[in-house]
């Protein structure tokens, strides 16, 4: 055999041998993987058989305990809501009315020389309380406020559903032709109400105005000066 042919043969043999060696290694690795898989799969039933009984018992105990704690906390929080009355009991905190909680209207009346009746109803779905104090009624750009028409304070009124509150405003308590002419009034529930409303009243003359407390009947809201 010539040198070139021998060299070519050795190269081919080396290539074939390398291929066979790689195949053998792959077969060996495959056998190992298969064996490991078989060992793993044969071990799995033992672990899975032991795991459910232990884990189900532990999970059941833990779940029950935590659920009971959560229920207890919820009951305690619910029972403790509201304002403390001082004797271990609580009562719901009542909401004060703001002008934006109320549907407003006005009506001109002829008694007591003529006055404006302010009518207040809670908006749908709202329950609130008008304080035992005068409504704040102002006139014009200078903010002239109506003084008290009654000597005593009124009562707190709960507005809800069909309940209506009334207050009477006498825009002019002086004699003569003095005063300023306006066609609206500004009403708020107390001086701190952030949402006063402007109500049309027609043309009126304003001078030293007065307003009554809130009442539940319109006849009690006549502003006698």
């Amino acid at each position: 055999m010539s040198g070139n042919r021998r060299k070519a043969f050795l190269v081919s043999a080396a290539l074939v041998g390398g291929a066979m060696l790689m195949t053998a290694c792959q077969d060996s690795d495959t056998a190992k993987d298969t064996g490991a898989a078989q060992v793993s799969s044969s071990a799995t039933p033992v672990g899975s058989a032991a795991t459910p009984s232990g884990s189900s018992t532990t999970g059941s105990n833990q779940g029950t305990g935590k659920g009971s704690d959560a229920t207890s906390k919820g009951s305690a929080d619910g029972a403790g809501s509201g304002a403390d009355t001082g004797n271990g009991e609580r009562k719901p905190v009542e909401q004060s009315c703001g002008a934006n909680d109320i549907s407003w209207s006005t009506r001109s009346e002829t008694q007591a020389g003529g006055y404006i009746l302010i009518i207040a109803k809670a908006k749908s779905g709202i329950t609130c309380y008008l304080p035992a104090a005068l409504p704040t009624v102002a006139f014009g750009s200078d903010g002239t406020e109506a003084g008290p028409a009654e000597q005593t304070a009124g009562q707190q009124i709960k507005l809800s559903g069909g309940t209506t509150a009334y207050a009477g405003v006498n825009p002019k308590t002086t004699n003569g032709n003095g005063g300023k002419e306006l066609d609206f009034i500004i009403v708020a529930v107390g001086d701190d109400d952030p949402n006063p409303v402007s109500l049309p009243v027609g043309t009126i003359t304003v001078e030293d105005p007065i307003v009554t407390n809130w009442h539940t009947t319109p006849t009690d809201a006549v502003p006698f000066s």
Side-chain angles (χ1 to χ4, degrees), residues 47-76:
S48 62
T51 301
S53 59
S55 62
S56 62
T57 303
T58 303
S60 176
N61 290 340
Q62 289 178 347
T64 303
K66 291 181 179 178
S68 301
D69 289 344
T71 302
S72 299
K73 289 180 182 178
S75 299

Side-chain angles (χ1 to χ4, degrees), residues 90-160:
R90 291 179 178 271
K91 65 178 182 179
V93 177
E94 308 293 4
Q95 175 187 344
S96 296
C97 294
N100 58 344
D101 296 319
I102 296 172
S103 293
W104 300 92
S105 59
T106 61
R107 188 170 71 215
S108 295
E109 300 287 356
T110 57
Q111 286 179 277
Y115 71 97
I116 300 161
L117 184 66
I118 301 173
I119 305 166
K121 293 183 178 183
K123 290 181 179 178
S124 177
I126 291 178
T127 297
C128 62
Y129 289 79
L130 288 171
L134 291 174
T136 299
V137 179
F139 301 84
S141 58
D142 60 357
T144 300
E145 284 194 26
E150 299 175 86
Q151 300 301 316
T152 58
Q155 295 182 344
Q156 178 177 267
I157 297 175
K158 178 180 179 180
L159 287 186
S160 180

Side-chain angles (χ1 to χ4, degrees), residues 20-47:
M20 292 178 65
L21 180 60
M22 291 178 64
T23 302
C25 290
Q26 290 175 350
D27 292 340
S28 177
D29 291 341
T30 303
K32 289 180 181 180
D33 292 341
T34 305
Q38 290 175 349
V39 171
S40 176
S41 61
S42 64
T44 301
V46 177

